[in-house]
Amino acid sequence: MDTVALAVTDGMLHFELALAYEVFGPAPAAVTGPWYDIALCGPDPVRVGRFRLEPDHGLDQLSRADTVIVPGWADVDQDPPADLVDAVRAAHDAGARVASLCTGAFVLAAAGLLDGKRATTHWAHTQVLAARYPQVTVDPDVLYVDNGSVLTSAGKAAAMDLCLHLVRLDHGSSIANTLARRLVVPPHRDGGQAQFVTTPVPAPDNHPLAELFPWVIERLDRPLTVEDLARQARMSSRHLGRHFRSVTGTTPLQWLLTQRIRHAQELLETTDDSVDTIAAATGMGTATTLRRHFNRTVGVPPDSYRRTFRLRTRPA
């Protein structure tokens, strides 16, 4: 069971802290194996926003965790506590995966964990982060950045994107999607990064495409066209495009492609099917077509993705 330690100290933002606790705390019903063992680590007690918090352990416990989450730091004009910075650095040196939420990136930068790396934080503070830590490549246009053992997210809701990304890495897309449904949030949002993303699927029955989406998902193995989707939705192709843009923020073809890639990702995670078989099952036609779109969207070829996922999820 992986241990997730939340670093808590005076001056943390309670929204990001509560969000991370909700994601890594109670296991989704679909999880039949080990889940996370979550711990709050910090001085005793601490003030988080308007709340008083009693940590489970001291900051020294961070170095024993598999993953350390650093929530948002409330006052970016003030240096984070030295004991917190030292504990986060020690945890990373001990092999922990360290992720910051929102302005928690200032803690990671102070610890030197972002030197020479790409990182992000809340858009309102990206210029401050870049000016204070010029050795960090600050990207203001993404939801989160994954550097492997060090990850950073943009502000507020993007913290959820990063937390779900970690669950997806550890437990696969199916579990991450189940958790997202429980939390009533989209499992993926397009943040402009070279990573797998899908467009949000709104709740059923509250938009003109509510009946179309599940119809398409059940037929991903077929060579669907925009005209097919428009016919099923009983509207013109132009009208369909306007609704897609309004509901999903993208075009019908791009949405369809990302659903095919998402399904391919799940099949690579959960089956031993060949890439040719998965290409047929996802409507890509050939392995060559699947590899081209998968590599461009996810950032790695299907075979590499499968190997990496299975290494990450292999029981200890």
Side-chain angles (χ1 to χ4, degrees):
M1 179 181 295
D2 286 347
T3 299
V4 173
L6 305 185
V8 294
T9 188
D10 289 336
M12 288 294 180
L13 297 173
H14 61 273
F15 178 85
E16 290 82 356
L17 175 63
L19 180 153
Y21 193 89
E22 183 64 26
V23 170
F24 300 108
V31 174
T32 57
W35 188 241
Y36 301 103
D37 181 16
I38 194 167
L40 299 180
C41 301
D44 190 5
V46 298
R47 174 70 65 177
V48 181
R50 297 291 300 273
F51 305 99
R52 190 174 179 85
L53 195 64
E54 300 281 349
D56 304 313
H57 308 281
L59 287 172
D60 60 319
Q61 187 70 18
L62 295 182
S63 62
R64 299 181 178 89
D66 298 293
T67 299
V68 172
I69 305 293
V70 181
W73 179 243
D75 188 355
V76 299
D77 294 325
Q78 179 183 358
D79 291 335
D83 57 347
L84 171 64
V85 173
D86 291 342
V88 169
R89 185 188 301 114
H92 183 260
D93 290 345
R97 178 177 60 181
V98 180
S100 66
L101 308 180
C102 192
T103 49
F106 283 82
V107 178
L108 271 59
L113 302 189
L114 301 181
D115 290 357
K117 294 183 174 66
R118 182 165 159 263
T120 194
T121 188
H122 192 290
W123 62 266
H125 304 294
T126 51
Q127 292 184 355
V128 176
L129 182 65
R132 189 174 303 167
Y133 301 99
Q135 63 274 42
V136 180
T137 302
V138 180
D139 189 338
D141 299 322
V142 294
L143 294 178
Y144 59 86
V145 176
D146 183 348
N147 288 301
S149 64
V150 178
L151 306 91
T152 54
S153 86
K156 299 299 179 183
M160 177 66 78
D161 295 298
L162 177 53
C163 288
L164 288 175
H165 173 66
L166 292 174
V167 173
R168 191 175 303 113
L169 291 176
D170 296 338
H171 295 277
S173 295
S174 179
I175 296 300
N177 292 347
T178 298
L179 179 58
R181 284 194 294 272
R182 190 187 76 187
L183 297 173
V184 199
V185 296
H188 308 269
R189 289 194 299 155
D190 189 348
Q193 300 182 90
Q195 62 195 15
F196 171 59
V197 292
T198 74
T199 52
V201 178
D205 302 328
N206 66 350
H207 60 86
L209 305 179
E211 295 181 1
L212 179 64
F213 286 157
W215 182 87
V216 173
I217 297 300
E218 293 174 0
R219 293 164 175 80
L220 290 176
D221 59 327
R222 304 181 187 182
L224 297 173
T225 65
V226 173
E227 289 71 23
D228 294 329
L229 271 60
R231 190 179 306 111
Q232 178 63 25
R234 296 182 292 278
M235 60 182 68
S236 69
S237 298
R238 180 175 294 183
H239 198 196
L240 179 77
R242 286 198 294 268
H243 278 302
F244 257 90
R245 181 65 66 180
S246 173
V247 173
T248 73
T250 190
T251 66
L253 281 180
Q254 184 58 47
W255 182 87
L256 179 59
L257 175 61
T258 54
Q259 303 316 305
R260 296 190 193 282
I261 296 295
R262 179 192 64 80
H263 188 38
Q265 189 180 29
E266 292 181 350
L267 293 175
L268 288 165
E269 294 172 8
T270 59
T271 75
D272 293 319
D273 292 347
S274 68
V275 175
D276 289 283
T277 300
I278 292 174
T282 57
M284 293 289 190
T286 67
T288 300
T289 301
L290 172 59
R291 286 192 173 96
R292 183 175 70 254
H293 287 296
F294 195 95
N295 196 12
R296 185 171 58 191
T297 304
V298 182
V300 295
D303 309 270
S304 298
Y305 177 84
R306 171 176 271 165
R307 286 194 299 270
T308 302
F309 174 80
R310 293 192 174 179
L311 283 173
R312 281 169 171 159
T313 57
R314 184 175 297 159

